[in-house]
Amino acid sequence: MLADFSQQHGITYDLLSDEGSHVITQLGLTNQHVEEQQAFFGRGVSAIHRGIPYPGTFILDEDGTVVGKEFEQSYRDRASGSYLFNRLGVEPTGPGPRARAVGAGVTARAWLDTVDYRPLQKLPVHVRLDIADGVHVYVPPTPGGFVPMSVVVPGHGTLQGGSAMVPAGHPHTVEGFDERFFVVTDHADLTVPVKLAGTSFELDGQRRPEPRPNSEVTIPVVIGYQACTATECYPPQGIRFELALVEEDVLRAER
Amino acid sequence: MTDQSALPVIDFSNVGPALGDPFPEIRLQNQSGTVTDLHRARAGRRALVVFYRSASW
């Protein structure tokens, strides 16, 4: 079965067969919530569910140490390949929508490394801020009256958005202020994980009675920041991008 | 009748090997029938170990 599966999908890496679920059991990964999860989606439990694991991914470093775990509450939600490669520290190289804009002291870029998406998969939205020489950008915690860096993907009906984790800055002193400031210079790389429902599913994984007519989705990316030089501060900036994706034709991909 | 009870909330930090732990040794047959040692196959590289429900659904 795994041989056929790997050949059908062009898989060249190892697929390991845990017949009898011995390793799954040894690692404590046996799904203890199958019945509840199936019931949520209006499905029953049968013999094929016996011994199955919670679906998810462990991220290992060069020493084989677990440095990340990606598991979702719903078995219908999965991390996409590009999201996992991003977690692994591999530079994304796939084609995808891109956008670029220049604000005060900063050049901002946003992109996806895929042109299409599968429903309910977690995708990374990448943002890079290149900060001009002699310029610094505030990051949290920021005293009142100053605007820290932020990158947000606002969600809507078929898109679950989120906020990027802003990099930690280095301490910075502003003449005339007693408060502590933290800033980033040179550049900042940020990622926002998003999930798309697709035409046939809702965001909670429930299948729609009728597919939506349009598989194209627009992903808004909203960037906020305030940049300063040693002698002056620019007004707070807001940059908005819109990146478009279409749903992958899964049947075409598997022919 | 569909049971629309909520999805159980699972604390995955307590499921399987924990962050910071060495991933256990695993030796299983791959799709070619060859017994594969995960860490030997990894050969000192970073890796993703994916657990999925089935290849036949």
Side-chain angles (χ1 to χ4, degrees):
Chain A
M1 182 192 299
L2 287 185
D4 291 342
F5 184 85
S6 62
Q7 189 171 32
Q8 181 184 1
H9 295 282
I11 293 172
T12 57
Y13 47 85
D14 280 322
L15 298 180
L16 303 183
S17 175
D18 187 12
E19 198 165 337
S21 301
H22 299 295
V23 170
I24 290 166
T25 305
Q26 173 199 340
L27 298 187
L29 288 172
T30 307
N31 191 332
Q32 308 288 344
H33 299 87
V34 177
E35 202 169 315
E36 298 155 90
Q37 292 170 339
Q38 293 290 105
F40 180 74
F41 295 112
R43 293 177 167 270
V45 177
S46 67
I48 59 172
H49 298 103
R50 192 179 307 129
I52 63 172
Y54 294 105
T57 302
F58 292 90
I59 301 153
L60 310 187
D61 69 5
E62 290 82 352
D63 296 328
T65 301
V66 178
V67 295
K69 295 169 71 165
E70 286 290 335
F71 287 81
E72 307 293 330
Q73 295 297 329
S74 167
Y75 69 78
R76 290 187 175 182
D77 291 353
R78 302 296 172 92
S80 65
S82 61
Y83 180 84
L84 290 173
F85 278 123
N86 183 244
R87 289 289 324 263
L88 196 60
V90 175
E91 278 291 318
T93 57
R98 281 159 163 69
R100 178 180 178 275
V102 179
V106 168
T107 299
R109 286 182 288 149
W111 71 96
L112 294 154
D113 48 43
T114 179
V115 297
D116 51 22
Y117 70 92
R118 289 199 178 192
L120 307 177
Q121 279 194 336
K122 189 156 59 177
L123 283 178
V125 177
H126 303 284
V127 170
R128 169 141 178 147
L129 303 181
D130 285 303
I131 304 167
D133 288 342
V135 174
H136 54 267
V137 172
Y138 296 111
V139 293
T142 310
F146 291 83
V147 176
M149 180 192 298
S150 66
V151 174
V152 175
V153 173
H156 53 66
T158 58
L159 167 66
Q160 179 178 293
S163 303
M165 190 171 296
V166 176
H170 50 265
H172 179 77
T173 304
V174 178
E175 192 175 331
F177 288 85
D178 295 328
E179 295 95 335
R180 289 191 81 185
F181 291 81
F182 292 87
V183 300
V184 169
T185 55
D186 191 64
H187 74 276
D189 290 307
L190 306 99
T191 303
V192 183
V194 302
K195 184 176 77 174
L196 293 155
T199 53
S200 298
F201 292 93
E202 302 292 356
L203 279 172
D204 66 357
Q206 299 287 357
R207 185 175 281 274
R208 289 173 54 81
E210 292 290 332
R212 277 177 266 265
N214 186 7
S215 75
E216 182 169 301
V217 173
T218 298
I219 299 178
V221 184
V222 179
I223 301 167
Y225 72 93
Q226 185 168 20
C228 300
T229 65
T231 56
E232 67 173 321
C233 278
Y234 304 115
Q237 303 283 299
I239 296 175
R240 183 182 177 103
F241 297 123
E242 309 233 329
L243 304 174
L245 281 181
V246 293
E247 186 172 354
E248 180 180 347
D249 180 351
V250 176
L251 292 180
R252 170 181 54 79
E254 294 185 346
R255 269 193 283 273
Chain B
M1 182 174 175
T2 301
D3 182 351
Q4 291 291 302
S5 53
L7 272 172
V9 177
I10 304 163
D11 180 4
F12 285 109
S13 66
N14 293 324
V15 171
L19 291 177
D21 283 353
F23 196 82
E25 302 283 339
I26 290 177
R27 298 182 76 245
L28 292 170
Q29 270 194 1
N30 68 10
Q31 62 268 46
S32 303
T34 304
V35 175
T36 300
D37 181 301
L38 185 146
H39 287 298
R40 182 169 293 180
R42 198 175 54 77
R45 295 171 293 186
R46 288 172 285 172
L48 300 172
V49 185
V50 182
F51 287 82
Y52 60 99
R53 288 163 33 116
S54 174
S56 62
W57 296 355

